Amino acid sequence: MIVGIGIDLTEVQRIARMVERWGDRFLRRIFTEGEREYATSRANSASHLAARFAAKEATLKALGVPPGLTWHEIEVVGGGTAPPLLVLRGAALAAADKMGM
Protein backbone atom coordinates (compact mmCIF):
# COMPACT_ATOMS: atom_id res chain seq x y z
CA MET A 1 0.00 0.00 0.00
CA ILE A 2 1.33 3.45 -0.92
CA VAL A 3 0.89 5.91 1.95
CA GLY A 4 2.94 8.83 0.65
CA ILE A 5 4.69 9.87 -2.53
CA GLY A 6 7.62 12.21 -2.84
CA ILE A 7 9.82 13.10 -5.78
CA ASP A 8 12.60 15.60 -6.13
CA LEU A 9 15.29 16.55 -8.62
CA THR A 10 18.32 18.52 -7.56
CA GLU A 11 20.86 20.07 -9.91
CA VAL A 12 24.37 18.96 -9.08
CA GLN A 13 25.70 22.44 -9.91
CA ARG A 14 23.26 24.01 -7.44
CA ILE A 15 24.65 21.85 -4.62
CA ALA A 16 28.22 22.54 -5.78
CA ARG A 17 27.50 26.30 -5.59
CA MET A 18 26.02 25.93 -2.10
CA VAL A 19 29.12 24.06 -0.92
CA GLU A 20 31.36 26.67 -2.55
CA ARG A 21 29.45 29.57 -1.00
CA TRP A 22 28.65 28.21 2.47
CA GLY A 23 31.19 25.38 2.83
CA ASP A 24 31.12 23.34 6.00
CA ARG A 25 28.22 25.39 7.41
CA PHE A 26 25.92 24.12 4.64
CA LEU A 27 27.25 20.57 4.78
CA ARG A 28 26.80 20.26 8.55
CA ARG A 29 23.33 21.78 8.49
CA ILE A 30 21.91 19.48 5.82
CA PHE A 31 23.91 16.25 5.92
CA THR A 32 24.76 13.80 8.69
CA GLU A 33 28.38 12.98 9.42
CA GLY A 34 27.98 9.66 7.58
CA GLU A 35 26.51 11.35 4.51
CA ARG A 36 29.33 13.91 4.45
CA GLU A 37 32.00 11.24 4.83
CA TYR A 38 30.50 9.11 2.06
CA ALA A 39 30.12 11.99 -0.41
CA THR A 40 33.49 13.63 0.23
CA SER A 41 35.26 10.29 -0.25
CA ARG A 42 33.99 10.19 -3.86
CA ALA A 43 35.60 11.80 -6.90
CA ASN A 44 32.54 13.95 -7.68
CA SER A 45 31.23 14.71 -4.20
CA ALA A 46 28.66 17.24 -5.45
CA SER A 47 26.76 14.57 -7.39
CA HIS A 48 26.60 12.33 -4.32
CA LEU A 49 25.50 15.22 -2.12
CA ALA A 50 22.84 16.20 -4.68
CA ALA A 51 21.48 12.64 -4.77
CA ARG A 52 21.21 12.56 -0.98
CA PHE A 53 19.63 16.03 -0.90
CA ALA A 54 17.01 14.94 -3.46
CA ALA A 55 16.26 11.77 -1.48
CA LYS A 56 15.79 13.82 1.70
CA GLU A 57 13.50 16.31 -0.07
CA ALA A 58 11.41 13.49 -1.56
CA THR A 59 11.11 11.90 1.87
CA LEU A 60 9.95 15.20 3.37
CA LYS A 61 7.24 15.40 0.71
CA ALA A 62 6.14 11.79 1.25
CA LEU A 63 5.89 12.41 5.01
CA GLY A 64 3.94 15.64 4.54
CA VAL A 65 6.74 17.80 6.00
CA PRO A 66 6.15 17.10 9.68
CA PRO A 67 6.56 20.12 11.98
CA GLY A 68 9.82 20.25 13.93
CA LEU A 69 11.68 17.93 11.58
CA THR A 70 15.40 18.57 11.05
CA TRP A 71 17.51 17.48 8.08
CA HIS A 72 19.52 15.06 10.22
CA GLU A 73 16.39 13.05 11.05
CA ILE A 74 16.46 11.70 7.49
CA GLU A 75 19.72 9.97 6.59
CA VAL A 76 20.66 8.22 3.36
CA VAL A 77 23.03 5.34 4.06
CA GLY A 78 24.72 3.00 1.62
CA GLY A 79 25.45 3.69 -1.98
CA GLY A 80 28.27 2.64 -4.22
CA THR A 81 27.99 -1.15 -4.26
CA ALA A 82 25.25 -1.22 -1.60
CA PRO A 83 21.72 -0.01 -2.33
CA PRO A 84 20.90 3.31 -0.67
CA LEU A 85 18.57 3.09 2.32
CA LEU A 86 16.75 5.72 4.36
CA VAL A 87 17.15 5.86 8.12
CA LEU A 88 14.48 7.92 9.88
CA ARG A 89 14.75 9.34 13.38
CA GLY A 90 12.83 11.77 15.59
CA ALA A 91 9.95 13.63 13.92
CA ALA A 92 10.56 11.84 10.61
CA LEU A 93 10.21 8.43 12.25
CA ALA A 94 7.16 9.55 14.24
CA ALA A 95 5.49 10.82 11.03
CA ALA A 96 6.27 7.57 9.21
CA ASP A 97 4.87 5.52 12.12
CA LYS A 98 1.74 7.67 12.22
CA MET A 99 1.21 7.03 8.49
CA GLY A 100 1.65 3.29 9.01
CA MET A 101 4.95 3.01 7.18
Side-chain angles (χ1 to χ4, degrees), residues 3 63 66-67 91-101:
V3 294
L63 294 175
L93 181 58
D97 286 345
K98 186 176 180 180
M99 294 174 76
M101 293 181 172

Side-chain angles (χ1 to χ4, degrees), residues 27 31-53 75-85:
L27 292 173
F31 302 101
T32 66
E33 182 178 348
E35 290 170 324
R36 292 189 312 267
E37 286 176 2
Y38 173 83
T40 58
S41 72
R42 305 297 178 189
N44 184 359
S45 63
S47 67
H48 295 277
L49 291 168
R52 279 158 169 68
F53 186 85
E75 181 176 21
V76 182
V77 297
T81 59
L85 300 171

Side-chain angles (χ1 to χ4, degrees), residues 73-91:
E73 293 174 353
I74 301 170
E75 181 176 21
V76 182
V77 297
T81 59
L85 300 171
L86 288 172
V87 175
L88 305 179
R89 298 178 186 89

Side-chain angles (χ1 to χ4, degrees), residues 4-55:
I5 296 175
I7 188 166
D8 193 77
L9 298 173
T10 302
E11 291 181 26
V12 174
Q13 286 303 92
R14 176 178 173 232
I15 297 298
R17 286 190 306 269
M18 296 293 284
V19 172
E20 185 178 310
R21 180 175 181 187
W22 299 104
D24 211 40
R25 182 176 174 195
F26 168 73
L27 292 173
R28 290 185 182 279
R29 180 170 184 227
I30 304 298
F31 302 101
T32 66
E33 182 178 348
E35 290 170 324
R36 292 189 312 267
E37 286 176 2
Y38 173 83
T40 58
S41 72
R42 305 297 178 189
N44 184 359
S45 63
S47 67
H48 295 277
L49 291 168
R52 279 158 169 68
F53 186 85

